[in-house]
Amino acid sequence: MSQNGLSALSSSQLEAGSRDGRSSAGDTSSEVSTVELLHLQQQQALQAARQLLLQQPGSGLKSPKSQDKQRPLQVPVSVAMMSPQVITPQQMQQILQQQVLSPQQLQALLQQQQAVMLQQQHLQEFYKKQQEQLHLQLLQQQHPGKQAKEQQQQQQQLAAQQLVFQQQLLQMQQLQQQQHLLNMQRQGLLSLPGPAPGQAALPGQALPPQGGLSPAELQQLWKDVTGGGGHGMEDNGIKHSNSTGGGGAPGGLDLSTNNTNTTTSSNPAAKASPPIPHHALANGQSPVLNHRRERERERERERESSLHEENGGTHSLYGHGVCKWPGCENICEDFGQFLKHLNNEHALDDRSTAQCRVQMQVVQQLEIQLSKERDRLQAMMAHLHMRPSEPKSSPKPLNLVSSVTMSKNLPSASPPNLPQTPTTPTAPITPMAAMPQVPSVLGGANVPSMGAMRRRHADKYSMSLSSGGDTVFIFPEIAPNYEFYKNADVRPPFTYATLIRQAIMDSADMQLTLNEIYSWFTRTFAYFRRNAATWKNAVRHNLSLHKCFVRVENVKGAVWTVDEMEYQKRRSQKITGSPSLVKNLPSSLGYGTALNASLQAALAETTLPLLGNPALMNSSTGPMGCHGLLGGDPSVLAGSPPGLLGGSPPGMLGGSPPGTLRGSPPSLLQAAHDEYNGTLDHLDTNGHSSPGYSPSVHMPPIHVKEEPLNMDDEDCPMSLVTTANHSPELDEERDLEEGNLSEEGRTWSD
DNA sequence: CTAGAAATAAACACGT
DNA sequence: AACGTGTTTATTTCTA
């Protein structure tokens, strides 16, 4: 955009005078250098990656014979899969080109990864013990009634710490699960036992997402690969990624791929196997739950190990009678059939190779994320004086005992070490780290850079924001998504109008000043912590433009309110306007509340491990069967290439019409909900809102939460980068400040 | 191909 | 003069 902006500026400003231009122009110019640099970097990375792909067999079209020559028979696939996290595309390319990876190297990598896993397990155990200890202590203290309040306080603090830690662990668990999945995938592809090379990136190393392909890129890749040939899309992909700037990557990994696994594993057929406990755990959970989860995890682990062992009859690419090859899902009666299928359909050809490559990217991204989370955990533990961290050595050592005692003595004081909490240098990785992949569905949409348009499409998919800390949307249970947007630098898939309305509705008195609206945006979405000039202008623009926003003069100035009537009117227009949508409505409506309820439930359950990744949910996960209902549009949910980033192609970039429900994935949160809700209101959920069946309900959805805690900022160490750089926001709220770190300050607006 | 929606930019006007 | 608010207009991008 900056480009556009520049041009525009030059032309218009020349005559119009620069009076106004100052403010905006100033902002831009100040960041240009940095931004440009970043941009360049990103572009380079992306290009390299792209080249890589193009050069490879995958895109045989473009790569003539020379390529074929180079391509040794079996090598490509294996190499591609094994190549470690070589983070830089260049490196990757090297590897790919050389196609060399000595067995020793592989071995080393594998071992490394295993070590990591082990460590994680230890951590788990460690945590368990810690919990037990805590419990014990509590009991002890309870008996001697004389325990002073002081102790209680300490206990509380301790508990609080534990909670945090617990959450972190949960995250780790999730990551582990992801890793397991990845490993399985890798194994399948590699047909090699043992975990793959997970080079746990070191904290510092955490190459910004740039290293890997951006989600958009990945999606594109899948599209190209699965689709048989890249079409025009490629342009889009490129463009987007460029504009997005690798930074976009932060947004995330697109785990859509995992869907494949997850999906399959959680298939109905898979009942037998303990479904991975995906649930959003974002919130603190009871120890009980944790234990349960632990157990499940263990079982999962066992299952996996057994898989390894029996390698004979099993195949990582085969499960529950279905081929797990990304995007496949072909049903195979038996193993033999599967093998046949595998050999026929997924033989070593351009396509398969390309798919492998893509998978590799996905894995890479996940690993990066994992390492980030791990680092964060370590930092946290270090802070809490449970040193297991740094040295990956044995976790159990320091038990809580030490930690507990410590805390007892020094309640909140964290003396020696880092007084810094999570938000420390090391720890605070990217926001994405916290919960990346989410939006695969949104996919393209998320990537910051995606141009303006995308979000609106995403809108249709209606993501759920749900509530979290301050704002409580209609579906509190979907919190994960909310959390996601709050921490991840991902563009929310809602239109400005929707968001503004949500902001206002969220307020106690249904009215907000412009500044408060701004605050809500920054507080609620990491994405809006940067480029303030841009989105704030958009907000103002929307406020003025839409009749549904009414300005009310106030003593202290003016506040904005929502004319629900207008809002609904607009919505319904949109909806009615789109035949396709109307078509779909019936089905969804048919389910009425029930549907919503189930949706919610499904959502809650489906919220994947990945931190409630809507995308995942969307994909296949059973529960979401609803998708079908909602999205009548095949292109979106579509059966999309099963599980892959699946359906991504259409879903992500392709869009859907503005008011349509389309692929609306399961998630819905009020905003989303409203998005297409104009007419669906009655559908509404919680019973709260939607009073009656009249679409034009003036009543705003009910908020479950009455008071916003601003605190939440604390719990989310995100990175929001830019904030720091771009001054404007600083004053907004300290919220913003936390960010920094991570990503570069690039602006998506360029 | 067109219309409409949404996002962006930017020019202006006003008030503090 | 510098900002923050509000309004408008123009462009661009996309989809039905």
Side-chain angles (χ1 to χ4, degrees), chain A residues 174 177-178 181 255 258-259 262-263 266 276-282 437-438 480-481 602-621 623:
Chain A
Q174 293 180 335
Q177 287 168 9
Q178 289 176 36
L181 290 175
L255 299 184
N258 272 335
N259 289 340
T262 320
T263 304
S266 52
I276 302 180
H278 1 303
H279 293 307
L281 352 134
Q437 8 315 97
V438 176
N481 290 323
L603 264 184
E605 294 185 358
T606 343
T607 308
L608 294 188
L610 303 186
L611 324 171
N613 174 339
L616 292 181
M617 309 198 298
N618 179 24
S619 69
S620 37
T621 348

Coordinates of all heavy atoms in Angstrom, one line a residue, chain A residues 174 177-178 181 255 258-259 262-263 266 276-282 437-438 480-481 602-621 623:
Chain A
Q174 N 0.0 -29.3 23.9 CA -0.6 -29.1 22.5 C 0.5 -29.2 21.5 O 0.3 -29.9 20.5 CB -1.3 -27.8 22.4 CG -2.5 -27.7 23.4 CD -3.2 -26.4 23.3 OE1 -2.5 -25.4 22.9 NE2 -4.4 -26.3 23.6
Q177 N 1.6 -32.5 21.0 CA 0.6 -33.3 20.2 C 0.9 -33.0 18.7 O 0.9 -33.9 17.9 CB -0.8 -32.9 20.5 CG -1.1 -33.5 21.9 CD -2.4 -32.9 22.3 OE1 -3.1 -32.2 21.6 NE2 -2.8 -33.2 23.6
Q178 N 1.0 -31.8 18.5 CA 1.3 -31.4 17.1 C 2.5 -32.1 16.6 O 2.5 -32.6 15.5 CB 1.5 -29.9 17.0 CG 0.3 -29.1 17.2 CD 0.6 -27.6 17.2 OE1 1.4 -27.2 16.4 NE2 0.0 -26.9 18.0
L181 N 2.0 -35.6 15.8 CA 1.3 -35.7 14.5 C 2.3 -35.5 13.4 O 2.3 -36.3 12.4 CB 0.2 -34.7 14.4 CG -1.0 -34.9 15.3 CD1 -2.0 -33.8 15.2 CD2 -1.7 -36.2 14.9
L255 N -1.6 -24.9 10.1 CA -1.5 -26.3 10.4 C -2.5 -27.0 9.7 O -2.8 -28.2 9.9 CB -1.9 -26.4 11.8 CG -0.9 -25.7 12.4 CD1 -1.1 -25.9 13.8 CD2 0.4 -26.2 12.0
N258 N -2.4 -30.5 9.5 CA -2.6 -31.3 10.6 C -4.0 -31.9 10.5 O -4.3 -32.9 11.0 CB -2.5 -30.6 11.9 CG -1.1 -30.6 12.3 OD1 -0.4 -31.6 11.9 ND2 -0.7 -29.7 13.1
N259 N -4.8 -31.2 9.9 CA -6.1 -31.6 9.8 C -6.2 -33.0 9.3 O -6.9 -33.8 9.8 CB -6.9 -30.8 8.8 CG -7.1 -29.4 9.3 OD1 -7.0 -29.2 10.6 ND2 -7.3 -28.4 8.5
T262 N -5.3 -35.0 12.3 CA -6.3 -34.9 13.3 C -7.6 -35.4 12.9 O -8.2 -36.2 13.6 CB -6.5 -33.4 13.6 OG1 -5.3 -32.7 13.5 CG2 -7.1 -33.2 14.9
T263 N -7.9 -35.0 11.7 CA -9.1 -35.5 11.2 C -9.2 -37.0 11.2 O -10.1 -37.5 11.8 CB -9.2 -35.1 9.8 OG1 -9.0 -33.7 9.7 CG2 -10.5 -35.5 9.2
S266 N -9.4 -38.5 14.5 CA -10.5 -38.3 15.3 C -11.8 -38.7 14.6 O -12.9 -38.4 14.9 CB -10.6 -36.8 15.7 OG -10.5 -36.0 14.5
I276 N -6.9 -37.2 20.4 CA -6.0 -36.4 21.1 C -6.9 -35.4 21.8 O -7.9 -34.9 21.3 CB -5.3 -35.6 20.1 CG1 -4.6 -36.7 19.3 CG2 -4.3 -34.7 20.8 CD1 -3.8 -36.1 18.2
P277 N -6.5 -35.1 22.9 CA -7.2 -34.2 23.7 C -7.1 -32.8 23.2 O -6.4 -32.0 23.7 CB -6.6 -34.2 25.1 CG -5.2 -34.7 24.8 CD -5.3 -35.5 23.6
H278 N -7.8 -32.5 22.2 CA -7.7 -31.2 21.8 C -8.8 -30.5 22.5 O -9.9 -30.8 22.4 CB -7.9 -31.0 20.4 CG -8.2 -32.1 19.6 ND1 -7.5 -33.2 19.5 CD2 -9.2 -32.3 18.8 CE1 -8.0 -34.0 18.7 NE2 -9.1 -33.5 18.3
H279 N -8.5 -29.5 23.0 CA -9.6 -28.7 23.5 C -8.9 -27.5 23.7 O -7.7 -27.4 23.8 CB -10.0 -29.2 24.9 CG -10.6 -30.5 24.8 ND1 -11.7 -30.8 24.0 CD2 -10.3 -31.7 25.3 CE1 -12.0 -32.1 24.1 NE2 -11.2 -32.6 24.9
A280 N -9.6 -26.5 23.9 CA -8.9 -25.4 24.0 C -8.5 -25.4 25.4 O -9.3 -25.6 26.3 CB -9.9 -24.3 23.9
L281 N -7.4 -25.2 25.7 CA -7.1 -25.1 27.0 C -6.7 -23.8 27.4 O -6.3 -23.5 28.4 CB -5.9 -25.9 27.3 CG -5.7 -26.4 26.0 CD1 -4.4 -26.3 25.7 CD2 -6.0 -27.8 26.3
A282 N -6.8 -23.0 26.6 CA -6.3 -21.7 26.9 C -6.5 -21.3 28.3 O -5.6 -20.7 28.9 CB -7.0 -20.8 26.0
Q437 N -1.3 -21.3 14.3 CA -2.1 -21.8 13.2 C -3.5 -21.4 13.1 O -4.1 -21.7 12.1 CB -2.1 -23.2 13.1 CG -1.6 -23.9 14.1 CD -0.3 -23.5 14.6 OE1 -0.3 -22.8 15.5 NE2 0.7 -23.8 14.2
V438 N -4.0 -21.0 14.0 CA -5.4 -20.9 13.9 C -6.1 -20.8 12.7 O -6.7 -21.6 12.3 CB -5.8 -19.7 14.6 CG1 -7.2 -19.6 14.5 CG2 -5.4 -19.9 16.0
P480 N -11.0 -19.7 22.9 CA -9.7 -19.9 22.2 C -9.5 -19.0 21.0 O -8.5 -18.4 20.8 CB -9.8 -21.3 21.8 CG -10.9 -21.9 22.6 CD -11.7 -20.8 23.2
N481 N -10.5 -18.8 20.3 CA -10.4 -18.0 19.1 C -10.1 -16.6 19.5 O -9.3 -15.9 18.9 CB -11.6 -18.0 18.2 CG -11.7 -19.4 17.6 OD1 -10.7 -20.0 17.2 ND2 -12.9 -19.9 17.5
A602 N -19.6 -28.4 19.7 CA -18.6 -28.9 18.7 C -17.4 -28.0 18.8 O -16.3 -28.5 18.8 CB -19.2 -28.9 17.3
L603 N -17.7 -26.8 18.8 CA -16.6 -25.9 18.8 C -15.7 -26.1 20.0 O -14.5 -26.2 19.9 CB -17.1 -24.5 18.9 CG -17.2 -23.9 17.5 CD1 -17.7 -22.4 17.7 CD2 -15.9 -23.9 16.9
A604 N -16.4 -26.1 21.0 CA -15.6 -26.2 22.2 C -14.8 -27.5 22.2 O -13.6 -27.4 22.5 CB -16.6 -26.3 23.4
E605 N -15.4 -28.5 21.7 CA -14.6 -29.7 21.7 C -13.6 -29.7 20.6 O -12.5 -30.3 20.8 CB -15.5 -30.9 21.4 CG -16.5 -31.0 22.6 CD -17.3 -32.2 22.3 OE1 -17.1 -32.8 21.3 OE2 -18.1 -32.5 23.2
T606 N -14.0 -29.2 19.5 CA -13.1 -29.3 18.4 C -11.9 -28.4 18.6 O -11.0 -28.5 17.9 CB -13.7 -28.8 17.2 OG1 -15.0 -28.9 17.5 CG2 -13.4 -29.6 16.1
T607 N -12.1 -27.5 19.3 CA -11.1 -26.5 19.3 C -9.9 -27.3 19.5 O -9.6 -27.9 20.5 CB -11.2 -25.7 20.5 OG1 -12.5 -25.3 20.4 CG2 -10.3 -24.7 20.5
L608 N -9.1 -27.3 18.5 CA -8.0 -28.1 18.6 C -6.9 -27.8 19.4 O -6.8 -26.8 19.9 CB -7.5 -28.2 17.3 CG -8.6 -28.8 16.7 CD1 -8.2 -29.1 15.4 CD2 -9.0 -29.9 17.4
P609 N -6.2 -28.6 19.5 CA -5.0 -28.6 20.2 C -4.3 -27.4 19.9 O -3.8 -26.7 20.6 CB -4.3 -29.7 19.7 CG -5.0 -30.2 18.6 CD -6.4 -29.6 18.6
L610 N -4.4 -27.1 18.7 CA -3.6 -26.0 18.3 C -4.2 -24.8 18.8 O -4.3 -23.9 18.1 CB -3.8 -26.0 16.9 CG -3.3 -27.3 16.7 CD1 -3.2 -27.4 15.3 CD2 -2.1 -27.5 17.3
L611 N -4.5 -24.7 19.9 CA -5.0 -23.5 20.4 C -6.2 -23.1 19.7 O -6.3 -22.0 19.2 CB -4.0 -22.6 20.1 CG -2.8 -23.3 20.2 CD1 -1.7 -22.6 19.7 CD2 -2.5 -23.6 21.6
G612 N -7.1 -23.9 19.6 CA -8.3 -23.5 19.1 C -8.2 -22.9 17.8 O -8.4 -21.8 17.5
N613 N -7.8 -23.7 16.9 CA -7.7 -23.2 15.6 C -8.9 -23.5 14.8 O -9.2 -24.5 14.5 CB -6.6 -24.0 15.0 CG -6.5 -23.6 13.6 OD1 -7.4 -23.1 13.1 ND2 -5.4 -23.8 13.1
P614 N -9.5 -22.4 14.5 CA -10.7 -22.5 13.8 C -10.5 -23.3 12.6 O -11.3 -24.1 12.1 CB -11.1 -21.1 13.5 CG -10.1 -20.3 14.2 CD -9.1 -21.1 14.8
A615 N -9.5 -23.0 12.0 CA -9.2 -23.7 10.7 C -9.3 -25.1 10.9 O -10.0 -25.8 10.2 CB -7.8 -23.3 10.3
L616 N -8.7 -25.6 11.8 CA -8.7 -27.0 12.0 C -10.1 -27.5 12.2 O -10.5 -28.5 11.7 CB -7.9 -27.3 13.2 CG -6.4 -27.0 12.9 CD1 -5.6 -27.4 14.1 CD2 -6.0 -27.8 11.7
M617 N -10.7 -26.8 13.0 CA -12.0 -27.3 13.3 C -12.7 -27.4 12.0 O -13.4 -28.3 11.8 CB -12.7 -26.2 14.1 CG -11.8 -25.9 15.2 SD -12.6 -25.1 16.5 CE -13.2 -23.8 15.8
N618 N -12.5 -26.4 11.3 CA -13.3 -26.4 10.1 C -13.0 -27.6 9.4 O -13.8 -28.3 8.9 CB -12.8 -25.3 9.3 CG -13.5 -25.3 8.1 OD1 -14.5 -25.8 8.0 ND2 -12.9 -24.7 7.1
S619 N -11.8 -27.8 9.2 CA -11.6 -28.9 8.4 C -12.3 -30.1 8.6 O -12.8 -30.6 7.9 CB -10.3 -29.2 8.3 OG -9.8 -29.6 9.3
S620 N -12.2 -30.8 9.4 CA -12.9 -31.9 9.3 C -13.4 -32.3 10.4 O -14.4 -32.9 10.5 CB -12.1 -32.9 8.9 OG -11.0 -32.7 9.5
T621 N -12.9 -32.0 11.4 CA -13.3 -32.5 12.5 C -14.7 -32.8 12.6 O -15.5 -32.0 12.4 CB -13.0 -31.6 13.5 OG1 -12.3 -30.7 12.8 CG2 -12.4 -32.1 14.5
P623 N -17.2 -33.2 14.5 CA -18.3 -32.5 15.1 C -18.8 -31.4 14.2 O -19.9 -31.1 14.1 CB -17.6 -31.9 16.3 CG -16.3 -32.4 16.4 CD -16.0 -33.2 15.2

